[in-house]
Amino acid sequence: MTNMKKNLLVLFLSLIALTVSAQIQRPAKWRFELSKKEVKVGETIELIFYVDIDENWYMYSSDFEMEAGPMPATFDFAPHNSYKLVGGIKAVGAKKKYDEIFEGEYTYFNKKAEFRQKVKILKPDPQITVTYNYQVCSDKSGQCIPFEDEYTFTGIKVTTSVEPSKQTTPDESIKVKSPEKATDSESTSQTITIKQDDRYYSQRITELEKEKAKLITYDTNGEDESIKYLKDFVNKYGKK
């Protein structure tokens, strides 16, 4: 075997070893949970991402921006009409550090990481699939490995949010007033009005009687002369 063939074989085997090593070596193990497993349509829940990070390794968080250098964690949710995102992804408890080489501040996690995303459930059987990219680095060797994985959240029990039919309560029922029967307050009001009317008419009658007395004249026998005149008129002209 020529030297050239040997070198090519060594290079090929090295590439295979690096590929296998990258596939086997998983310094970060992800777990997924729901803040609530039973929800109603229209309710908001949290999708929780937990990461266990191997000793002597760290993982970059999602809450920093750099034009070059460390790769922040990203979460890409597949759009679906059964849910919608509420706000953005939140990193919980990330540490901060300044990178002198790239002249910028980044955030990272040691040992454990946590991310949370709020979503609003719009329909039963929500289809929530997320693709997440992240990078882990070794404190010892300085090796950094990027990863891309996908996960679909399952086990969300959704109940349809339906308002119960509104029943009419006694207080809300339509009240029809009977013309024959009035309430106590109405009866009292009517009684007062009638009494006031009686008093008014009584006063008016008294006043009319006084006015009538002024107009009537009496003869020496005390008889109403207007009545006497009326009788004389009837006797004279009423009989034929």
Side-chain angles (χ1 to χ4, degrees):
M1 184 179 291
T2 63
N3 289 335
M4 184 175 180
K5 288 183 178 180
K6 287 182 179 179
N7 291 335
L8 288 174
L9 180 60
V10 170
L11 178 61
F12 179 71
L13 292 174
S14 298
L15 290 174
I16 293 176
L18 287 173
T19 303
V20 172
S21 175
Q23 290 177 347
I24 295 174
Q25 194 172 22
R26 306 285 288 191
K29 285 81 175 176
W30 290 67
R31 295 178 290 112
F32 309 89
E33 289 186 10
L34 301 165
S35 61
K36 291 179 67 176
K37 292 185 178 180
E38 186 171 342
V39 298
K40 295 180 180 179
V41 172
E43 192 172 357
T44 299
I45 63 172
E46 281 189 314
L47 312 177
I48 308 172
F49 304 80
Y50 293 114
V51 190
D52 295 319
I53 305 168
D54 288 351
E55 191 72 25
N56 300 319
W57 288 83
Y58 61 92
M59 186 182 84
Y60 291 110
S61 182
S62 60
D63 50 353
F64 71 93
E65 293 182 3
M66 274 194 179
E67 294 182 0
M71 185 183 84
T74 59
F75 299 79
D76 184 20
F77 290 86
H80 197 270
N81 61 7
S82 61
Y83 79 98
K84 72 174 182 179
L85 300 178
V86 179
I89 195 77
K90 301 293 183 183
V92 181
K95 301 177 182 178
K96 293 183 179 181
K97 190 173 183 179
Y98 185 81
D99 192 305
E100 295 181 355
I101 297 176
F102 296 102
E103 297 183 345
E105 190 176 64
Y106 65 89
T107 52
Y108 68 100
F109 292 99
N110 285 120
K111 295 183 180 180
K112 292 184 180 296
E114 181 179 339
F115 303 91
R116 290 177 176 252
Q117 173 66 56
K118 290 182 178 181
V119 296
K120 185 175 183 179
I121 304 301
L122 304 179
K123 292 183 178 180
D125 191 24
Q127 306 295 314
I128 307 176
T129 299
V130 56
T131 301
Y132 52 100
N133 292 269
Y134 61 101
Q135 187 178 46
V136 289
C137 297
S138 171
D139 288 323
K140 287 187 174 181
S141 64
Q143 179 186 12
C144 289
I145 308 173
F147 292 94
E148 179 179 314
D149 287 304
E150 183 180 278
Y151 182 79
T152 299
F153 284 89
T154 59
I156 304 175
K157 184 179 179 181
V158 181
T159 57
T160 305
S161 179
V162 179
E163 293 184 1
S165 59
K166 189 176 181 181
Q167 297 180 352
T168 304
T169 62
D171 292 336
E172 295 172 334
S173 60
I174 300 174
K175 297 179 180 179
V176 180
K177 294 183 180 179
S178 173
E180 294 79 15
K181 185 177 180 180
T183 61
D184 293 339
S185 59
E186 290 173 339
S187 299
T188 304
S189 176
Q190 290 176 359
T191 302
I192 294 173
T193 303
I194 292 171
K195 288 182 178 179
Q196 289 177 346
D197 290 344
D198 288 347
R199 189 179 303 118
Y200 170 79
Y201 290 124
S202 177
Q203 291 175 353
R204 293 296 297 160
I205 292 170
T206 302
E207 291 174 0
L208 289 173
E209 290 290 345
K210 289 180 180 179
E211 294 297 326
K212 177 184 175 182
K214 293 178 181 178
L215 298 173
I216 298 174
T217 58
Y218 300 91
D219 60 12
T220 56
N221 297 322
E223 186 177 355
D224 188 344
E225 289 187 345
S226 62
I227 299 298
K228 181 181 178 182
Y229 174 80
L230 181 59
K231 289 180 180 179
D232 291 340
F233 181 86
V234 172
N235 291 330
K236 184 176 180 180
Y237 300 101
K239 296 180 181 180
K240 292 185 179 179

